[in-house]
Amino acid sequence: MPKYVYDFTEGNKDLKDLLGGKGANLAEMTNLGLPVPPGFTITTEACQAYLDTGRVPAELADQVSSNLATLEQQMGKQLGQADDPLLVSVRSGAKFSMPGMMETVLNIGLNDESVHGLTKQSGNERFAWDSYRRLIQMFGKTVLGIEGELFEGALEAAKKAKGAESDLDLDAADLRTLVATYKSVIAEHTHRDFPQEPREQLDLAIRAVFDSWNAPRAILYRRQERIPADLGTAVNVVTMVFGNLGMDSGTGVAFTRDPGTGAQGIYGDYLQNAQGEDVVAGIRNTLPLQDLERIDPASYRKLVAIMERLENHYRDLCDIEFTIERGKLWMLQVRVGKRTAAAAFRIATQLVDQGLIDIDEALGRVSGAQLAQLMFPRFEAGPDARKIATGMNASPGAAVGRAVFESARAVELAATGERVILVRRETNPDDLPGMIAAQGILTSRGGKTSHAAVVARGMGKTCVCGAEELDVDVKAREFTAPGGIRVVEGDLISIDGSSGAVYLDEVPVVPSPVVRYFEGELSAAEAESDELVAAVDRLMKHADAARRLAVRANADTPEDAARARRMGAAGIGLCRTEHMFLGERRVQVERLILAETGQQRSAALDALEPLQREDFVGIFEAMDGLPVTVRLLDPPLHEFLPDLTELSVKVAVAEARGEDPGRDGELLTAVRRLHEANPMLGLRGVRLGLVVPGLYAMQVRAIVEAAAQRKRAGGDPQVEIMIPLVGTVQELEIIRDQALAVLAEVSNASGVPLDYPIGTMIELPRAALTAGQIAEAAEFFSYGTNDLTQTTWGFSRDDVEASFFSEYLEEGVFGVSPFETLDRDGVGRLVRIASEEGRKVRPDLKLGVCGEHGGDPESVHFFHEVGLDYVSCSPFRVPVARLEAGRAAVAGSEVSDSR
């Protein structure tokens, strides 16, 4: 019989797959002898079985009963007994942290009788009725699916009738009346009474937590964080401890280091006379954790000692939830804490210096995505900047956008390309779609451990929380700031997640120090004195020393090539020649296309050749001594001609006026002749080289003459000539022979030895499947994964991303766009086959990738695994690829829990 329930004494932190992160860590703290309320965990396997069949596993009820009986015996009381009730919480807990995305129900076991027993037990009638109203509110929303606004509205009405500012101002009688109101809400909307049987409450809550795994916000969060959909959640049943027994009780969240900066110290939030959900919900502004030392010195000292012990035990930043019940400290949760990108780099190197981890593990604790965040620009707030408020710097970055006050509105405007800032009093899990769509998040309530702060940090989204100076009116879609400043929906604001500043209008930005470091603009002293830059430098040096993959750049101009080199590129993996035919040179291409005789065609090519040669001279100079892979012309010729519709209108208007359309008429004829229904699968790539005599020969001549010129000037050009869109070896052989003839001719004429490799792009499934044949004629392969993805999936990228990709992502057809992260099972398999078969024929075959996947962190790990020699990406992504190549070498493809 499968075991679906584990007591906290039976698990440990390594059982996250089975017990979820929360359950595994509660068990670990129990085993460490820390003060954890007793309880048990229902496994993710039980959830998976429930989600697969729609039924709770038959064995689960008896196993819950057995573990509940053990818990009751341990506590000396029964669930919900009238005179002295045992109460429990039911909490979700997946393998990967999903803050606020699934459900929690507190105070299970309270009913109309046991609430009096709780009054007697606690000696606090207000506390008992407050606990009961919280249960009904949570149960109604979470288990019964009633709109939360109905309960919140009733609470607000009760406060208004009392003239109360806070729910703390409501007395026992007020709360007793509120319980009755809540029960009537349930009866009205479900046509049944709130369940009085404690075991029924427990069973329904367990099922609700299982169901919450597939709640829309949980699905959206998993997609955003790339968490697999089949993991399921565990369910933790925990003895209740109460932070709302009075001012000698409370609840809080603590971090062993600042999750925003990585600085060592005591960080967190605390609320007196409150339950845990009050802190993360942000509905009441919290006290800094340091204030606990004044309020309850003994509990503070115990907490600090436990924090130090947990950080040393987990060897990482820890995120801890705790409750103090009448001076007694209880630990409710520990997990490896989410952190900002800056904190990730700082903490990783700090832990190395403390001897807790080695440099390899430190490299595994950071990611390319985090490095990319550090490269974003920062605000330069000059004297003209209009700062209107300051909140908590919850998640760094510089975000500018139109103020919006509702999640749905943020999604709506962002879909049109508008930049937006989501402004709320506080966020809740239902705001996740708007948080994802927004450039940044601004709240007037909550602290660094509120929902908005935790989720924003996890997503790398700029966030300012607790800007108390702002009066946010969500219904009116506006907020007011000191001095009578009024900001309405659509007004432009800027928020600085690093300082917490809020500005009117758009604030200029400047490059980040990390970009200046990569660009070589910081002196050694400046780099060393900046703690973040020093941490980045240290880990980048280790990544470079550890990695096997070389990192090149995609660059088409001398300026791009020079920047790529500064960023650490080891050459150019893709130099596109089509960009050199645009602008003023377009007329030369038009002449080539309109040529009716060989003489006209040759004249057009002769005019283009010196222009091409000068382009290559500058690029070879910028990349002297490093390889430069030049791709011969790839796109269809019609892309260099005017649009068919515009040209047709222009000619028609001229003819209607009785005018001679002249050159426009010739161009229209050519455009119609070259028009294709699907040009991406038409006359392009190597096919152009075969159909347009002399085109590729002209390009090869320009390339090698530029190389000869550099050599004569004392340079060391390392040219690689790449032929695109090859589908069969015969195509490659014809163009290769032409290129070799040009190489020999230029070498003889210049007196400069020119021996450069000729290879091909693998971007068609047939090329990948016949790679063994193609390798007979190619000295290197470069995988064009953009086109290989298009042709493998049968997708036209320009069309599908706008037309139906959102539905495919929504339905889980794929978790992420295959144009963003390589499809390992399909496209990746073709890459693997081509690499293996190519190297069987030519063991020294050089293999690289030059599609956009070359800069994608997850894809870089796959290319390392397959054995490619290099990846190539945009200059800005070169540091990211370098870091990920190092991570792949030392730690495989595992993603750390701090993501």
Side-chain angles (χ1 to χ4, degrees):
M1 182 174 71
K3 181 177 173 65
Y4 285 129
V5 184
Y6 286 72
D7 188 84
F8 288 167
T9 59
E10 297 179 287
N12 60 66
K13 67 182 175 65
D14 298 322
L15 295 179
K16 289 181 182 178
D17 285 326
L18 183 67
L19 304 179
K22 187 174 294 180
N25 289 325
L26 283 169
E28 188 74 11
M29 288 196 293
T30 299
N31 295 334
L32 289 173
L34 300 182
V36 176
F40 54 86
T41 299
I42 301 168
T43 66
T44 57
E45 291 177 350
C47 179
Q48 291 161 3
Y50 171 77
L51 296 175
D52 287 344
T53 64
R55 297 188 302 274
V56 173
E59 304 89 346
L60 184 60
D62 287 344
Q63 292 185 31
V64 168
S65 295
S66 174
N67 279 266
L68 181 59
T70 300
L71 181 62
E72 290 173 332
Q73 185 176 10
Q74 184 178 358
M75 300 305 296
K77 46 189 169 184
Q78 293 184 322
L79 182 69
Q81 73 182 44
D83 60 338
D84 186 10
L86 170 66
L87 304 181
V88 298
S89 63
V90 176
R91 298 172 179 267
S92 61
K95 176 182 179 181
F96 297 110
S97 175
M98 297 172 58
M101 296 303 119
M102 292 181 293
E103 301 298 357
T104 291
V105 183
L106 305 179
N107 307 325
I108 293 286
L110 275 177
N111 56 28
D112 292 349
E113 292 185 10
S114 61
V115 67
H116 299 292
L118 185 60
T119 298
K120 180 180 178 182
Q121 176 197 38
S122 65
N124 186 331
E125 184 182 14
R126 184 198 181 281
F127 153 73
W129 286 100
D130 183 48
S131 297
Y132 195 18
R133 73 94 184 166
R134 287 172 184 268
L135 166 63
I136 299 172
Q137 182 172 357
M138 283 186 169
F139 197 93
K141 180 182 177 183
T142 297
V143 180
L144 302 178
I146 299 171
E147 287 294 326
E149 286 82 358
L150 295 171
F151 298 104
E152 292 160 13
L155 177 59
E156 289 299 318
K159 290 194 292 186
K160 186 175 181 180
K162 179 83 171 183
E165 290 287 326
S166 165
D167 56 331
L168 293 178
D169 298 323
L170 300 178
D171 60 23
D174 299 323
L175 293 168
R176 193 183 305 115
T177 301
L178 188 59
V179 164
T181 303
Y182 280 2
K183 288 165 68 176
S184 66
V185 169
I186 287 176
E188 178 183 350
H189 289 84
T190 66
H191 306 293
R192 60 161 293 176
D193 292 333
F194 173 75
Q196 295 293 303
E197 172 56 45
R199 181 56 191 268
E200 182 185 5
Q201 294 176 9
L202 177 62
D203 290 339
L204 289 173
I206 291 169
R207 183 187 291 259
V209 173
F210 283 161
D211 285 332
S212 72
W213 175 256
N214 281 330
R217 68 191 188 209
I219 293 171
L220 180 61
Y221 186 85
R222 288 199 300 273
R223 185 181 307 135
Q224 175 76 14
E225 298 297 307
R226 302 188 186 181
I227 296 172
D230 59 354
L231 296 180
T233 181
V235 180
N236 300 287
V237 179
V238 190
T239 302
M240 282 297 305
V241 290
F242 299 98
N244 58 332
L245 270 167
M247 297 308 284
D248 60 349
S249 303
T251 189
V253 176
F255 292 94
T256 56
R257 297 169 194 246
D258 188 336
T261 67
Q264 293 176 263
I266 305 298
Y267 295 89
D269 297 318
Y270 183 68
L271 267 179
Q272 290 178 273
N273 197 17
Q275 287 195 314
E277 299 302 303
D278 296 339
V279 176
V280 295
I283 56 177
R284 285 166 56 190
N285 282 337
T286 57
L287 298 172
L289 186 59
Q290 288 85 345
D291 284 9
L292 181 59
E293 185 174 17
R294 170 182 51 81
I295 297 167
D296 186 347
S299 294
Y300 180 80
R301 286 193 297 271
K302 290 177 184 177
L303 176 64
V304 170
I306 289 173
M307 289 170 66
E308 183 178 0
R309 185 177 179 191
L310 286 173
E311 179 170 279
N312 289 334
H313 184 72
Y314 281 87
R315 302 179 306 118
D316 208 344
L317 161 70
C318 288
D319 173 357
I320 297 163
E321 294 181 15
F322 67 93
T323 282
I324 297 172
E325 180 181 281
R326 288 181 170 167
K328 166 69 174 174
L329 176 66
W330 293 98
M331 307 305 294
L332 302 185
Q333 176 168 301
V334 64
R335 59 190 173 197
V336 172
K338 293 184 180 294
R339 67 210 65 188
T340 65
F345 277 83
R346 288 193 182 104
I347 292 171
T349 54
Q350 289 167 1
L351 294 173
V352 173
D353 293 337
Q354 290 176 240
L356 292 175
I357 63 175
D358 61 25
I359 192 69
D360 279 356
E361 188 168 354
L363 186 57
R365 297 274 184 95
V366 298
S367 71
Q370 289 169 329
L371 180 60
Q373 289 175 31
L374 297 181
M375 297 171 70
F376 293 154
R378 297 185 175 186
F379 284 137
E380 184 178 45
D384 295 333
R386 299 178 62 192
K387 185 163 81 168
I388 57 174
T390 301
M392 294 186 186
N393 51 337
S395 185
V400 179
R402 307 275 175 195
V404 295
F405 296 83
E406 294 178 346
S407 174
R409 182 63 172 159
V411 172
E412 178 187 346
L413 288 179
T416 68
E418 190 75 69
R419 296 177 300 167
V420 298
I421 303 292
L422 179 62
V423 183
R424 305 282 286 167
R425 279 194 289 267
E426 69 277 332
T427 64
N428 63 61
D430 293 330
D431 289 322
L432 183 64
M435 297 174 74
I436 292 173
Q439 300 293 308
I441 300 124
L442 170 63
T443 71
S444 60
R445 297 178 184 170
K448 284 191 175 182
T449 59
S450 65
H451 175 267
V454 172
V455 174
R457 278 197 297 273
M459 293 192 300
K461 189 82 67 174
T462 300
C463 180
V464 172
C465 283
E468 298 178 18
E469 301 161 283
L470 303 181
D471 182 9
V472 177
D473 187 336
V474 172
K475 289 186 178 179
R477 299 186 180 187
E478 66 178 33
F479 71 78
T480 54
I485 296 171
R486 178 169 169 262
V487 173
V488 301
E489 182 175 286
D491 287 349
L492 203 59
I493 60 173
S494 301
I495 62 172
D496 188 339
S498 300
S499 68
V502 181
Y503 300 93
L504 273 185
D505 303 320
E506 183 165 357
V507 176
V509 295
V510 293
S512 77
V514 172
V515 167
R516 295 184 63 218
Y517 152 74
F518 283 125
E519 292 274 19
E521 296 177 4
L522 296 182
S523 67
E526 287 175 316
E528 190 175 340
S529 65
D530 187 311
E531 185 185 0
L532 174 58
V533 170
V536 170
D537 176 66
R538 187 173 175 185
L539 292 175
M540 289 300 299
K541 284 177 177 174
H542 185 64
D544 287 338
R547 62 185 167 91
R548 181 190 57 75
L549 274 173
V551 178
R552 300 188 189 180
N554 302 338
D556 310 330
T557 67
E559 294 75 22
D560 282 348
R563 186 178 198 207
R565 189 162 193 160
R566 292 195 300 272
M567 290 285 190
I572 293 178
L574 176 63
C575 176
R576 308 171 186 87
T577 54
E578 55 267 21
H579 292 177
M580 303 170 184
F581 288 161
L582 301 176
E584 295 178 357
R585 303 180 187 182
R586 189 185 293 270
V587 67
Q588 304 292 349
V589 182
E590 291 177 358
R591 289 173 181 167
L592 174 64
I593 295 170
L594 294 175
E596 296 179 356
T597 66
Q599 185 176 3
Q600 291 174 332
R601 187 181 303 110
S602 295
L605 290 171
D606 288 345
L608 284 169
E609 183 182 318
L611 302 175
Q612 285 257 278
R613 182 169 59 246
E614 288 307 309
D615 293 325
F616 295 129
V617 168
I619 292 171
F620 296 160
E621 182 176 357
M623 276 291 169
D624 198 58
L626 296 176
V628 177
T629 304
V630 182
R631 183 180 73 183
L632 302 184
L633 194 66
D634 181 41
L637 287 179
H638 78 84
E639 290 193 8
F640 301 99
L641 295 176
D643 178 75
L644 174 60
T645 302
E646 291 179 6
L647 201 55
S648 297
V649 170
K650 197 173 180 181
V651 170
V653 169
E655 290 176 342
R657 292 173 176 169
E659 300 171 356
D660 181 2
R663 184 176 179 80
D664 287 338
E666 296 177 33
L667 284 172
L668 180 59
T669 300
V671 169
R672 285 173 173 163
R673 171 169 51 84
L674 293 171
H675 178 73
E676 295 173 301
N678 192 343
M680 297 310 293
L681 296 179
L683 182 59
R684 53 170 290 217
V686 68
R687 302 159 193 169
L688 275 176
L690 292 170
V691 171
V692 182
L695 176 60
Y696 275 8
M698 177 275 293
Q699 288 198 291
V700 172
R701 185 179 302 277
I703 293 166
V704 297
E705 285 182 350
Q709 183 176 329
R710 278 296 303 150
K711 277 196 167 188
R712 285 195 298 268
D716 180 24
Q718 297 187 12
V719 181
E720 299 173 348
I721 298 171
M722 184 160 68
I723 300 166
L725 211 73
V726 163
T728 175
V729 67
Q730 287 84 359
E731 293 171 318
L732 178 59
E733 287 172 339
I734 294 169
I735 300 300
R736 182 201 61 181
D737 290 346
Q738 292 177 10
L740 289 173
V742 173
L743 268 167
E745 180 186 338
V746 174
S747 182
N748 291 335
S750 64
V752 177
L754 300 171
D755 182 17
Y756 295 127
I758 298 172
T760 187
M761 293 185 78
I762 301 294
E763 46 194 334
L764 297 173
R766 190 182 192 282
L769 295 172
T770 61
Q773 299 173 23
I774 291 174
E776 297 278 3
E779 294 172 85
F780 64 86
F781 288 170
S782 180
Y783 294 100
T785 51
N786 297 343
D787 273 346
L788 189 57
T789 298
Q790 287 199 100
T791 54
T792 299
W793 280 88
F795 286 157
S796 169
R797 180 176 185 175
D798 293 340
D799 299 318
V800 298
E801 289 189 315
S803 61
F804 64 82
F805 262 33
S806 58
E807 285 80 6
Y808 266 43
L809 291 165
E810 187 76 30
E811 297 295 331
V813 176
F814 36 65
V816 63
S817 165
F819 292 107
E820 182 180 339
T821 294
L822 192 81
D823 159 33
R824 288 184 173 226
D825 296 335
V827 179
R829 188 166 181 220
L830 290 174
V831 171
R832 193 184 295 273
I833 289 170
S835 299
E836 292 172 353
E837 294 198 0
R839 280 185 170 158
K840 282 180 186 176
V841 173
R842 192 185 289 267
D844 62 346
L845 184 70
K846 187 184 293 185
L847 301 174
V849 60
C850 61
E852 290 180 25
H853 299 100
D856 171 64
E858 287 189 32
S859 304
V860 169
H861 285 258
F862 173 77
F863 298 135
H864 168 86
E865 175 190 323
V866 173
L868 268 58
D869 295 299
Y870 69 87
V871 296
S872 189
C873 55
S874 70
F876 189 81
R877 299 289 293 182
V878 165
V880 171
R882 288 167 51 201
L883 184 78
E884 288 295 344
R887 293 184 70 235
V890 303
S893 298
E894 186 175 349
V895 179
S896 74
D897 284 351
S898 63
R899 61 182 173 173

